[in-house]
Amino acid sequence: MIDACRAALEAHHARHGTIPSMAGLARLWGYASKSSAARRVGELVEAGVLAWSADRRLRPGPAFHSGHPPSPMPDPDLDEARERWSTGYDGELTRAYMMTVRLLRLARCIEIGLARTAASEGLTAGEVLVLDTLFRAGPPHRLAPTALKKHFVISLAGVAKRLERLLALGLIERVPNPDDRRGMLVQLTASGIALLQRLVQLDRHSSHIMWPTALPEQDYRVMLDALQAAQALIEAEPDDL
């Protein structure tokens, strides 16, 4: 019975990126009461499948995945879309649409997870991205505001507004530019670095970040190479088409 509960839990986490509440677990496992679910949770915690966070919420434990990723769950909506595309378009275009929609859905799941993690510190995902960009600049973690965009891993609008909020929260500060007396730089504060460290600990247990580590090594390399090749193909397309 515990294996069935574990499989249902892993499938739920793969799809939603969350661990349900005790009441939610009771519903997921078909138990009549939360106390029954609590006993099962105790067994899963002891086995390392689940763990308690500092705020007494359940999170994935070190043995959450059993050495392989969860089996893909059926996607009736996308299957139906494939049937409709195939009746109006050729097979090549249908294959392209399937992959594009799948990637968009994956990106959306990741965006939701990033927003949820950032919200745990009262920030938006865009604000965390600004802090991370400064961190990746290396000690002393400072950049000119106009240079920030060049270092973003994704595009981000409204940088000035985000900087003002981060300044107000004390997570960054303005410092003189040693190479330009008239210029100022923005720099991570100790509070900003500490906040990023807290978020890193959350990321270690977040499926929207750690999902690549659940893939077999060969699948990981194939997917990484395929995504890099796809990006190169898109970026090589002339802008005037």
Side-chain angles (χ1 to χ4, degrees):
M1 185 64 180
I2 190 172
D3 290 338
C5 291
R6 175 176 181 166
L9 181 59
E10 290 185 354
H12 180 280
H13 191 272
R15 190 171 184 84
H16 302 284
T18 61
I19 299 296
S21 64
M22 201 65 70
L25 288 172
R27 290 192 297 270
L28 179 67
W29 294 333
Y31 290 157
S33 65
K34 290 192 293 184
S35 60
S36 298
R39 287 192 292 272
R40 184 64 69 197
V41 164
E43 295 174 355
L44 292 171
V45 169
E46 186 176 351
V49 176
L50 290 174
W52 292 103
S53 64
D55 59 357
R56 294 302 294 170
R57 294 183 181 182
L58 286 168
R59 60 174 176 80
F64 186 72
H65 293 298
S66 53
H68 55 80
S71 300
M73 298 188 68
D75 193 332
D77 291 340
L78 200 53
D79 290 340
E80 183 178 350
R82 175 172 52 193
E83 292 179 8
R84 292 178 177 175
W85 284 327
S86 64
T87 61
Y89 308 121
D90 59 62
E92 187 176 44
L93 194 55
T94 297
R95 282 167 52 86
Y97 282 158
M98 285 289 291
M99 183 63 73
T100 299
V101 171
R102 177 60 68 193
L103 288 172
L104 287 172
R105 288 190 174 185
L106 173 60
R108 181 57 181 157
C109 288
I110 293 172
E111 288 174 359
I112 292 172
L114 292 173
R116 184 169 56 242
T117 300
S120 70
E121 291 286 346
L123 301 178
T124 66
E127 289 163 349
V128 173
L129 180 60
V130 172
L131 297 178
D132 179 68
T133 301
L134 289 171
F135 183 83
R136 285 187 289 106
H141 308 298
R142 62 171 66 151
L143 288 170
T146 54
L148 271 171
K149 288 186 178 181
K150 298 179 182 179
H151 296 265
F152 287 152
V153 293
I154 61 174
S155 61
L156 184 66
V159 175
K161 183 177 180 180
R162 289 176 170 85
L163 288 177
E164 289 304 318
R165 184 160 190 271
L166 294 172
L167 283 164
L169 293 172
L171 300 175
I172 62 174
E173 61 185 348
R174 289 191 177 97
V175 296
N177 187 339
D179 300 321
D180 182 0
R181 293 182 179 180
R182 296 172 298 177
M184 299 292 289
L185 305 176
V186 289
Q187 176 176 303
L188 274 178
T189 63
S191 295
I193 292 174
L195 183 146
L196 285 174
Q197 291 172 339
R198 292 195 298 272
L199 293 180
V200 165
Q201 294 306 312
L202 289 178
D203 283 344
R204 293 184 189 280
H205 305 288
S206 300
S207 61
H208 67 275
I209 294 295
M210 299 303 294
W211 64 269
T213 65
L215 297 174
E217 180 62 24
Q218 183 177 357
D219 291 352
Y220 174 86
R221 293 305 316 176
V222 168
M223 186 171 188
L224 187 62
D225 291 345
L227 290 173
Q228 290 174 330
Q231 183 176 344
L233 287 169
I234 295 172
E235 292 178 343
E237 188 75 20
D239 293 335
D240 56 354
L241 287 183

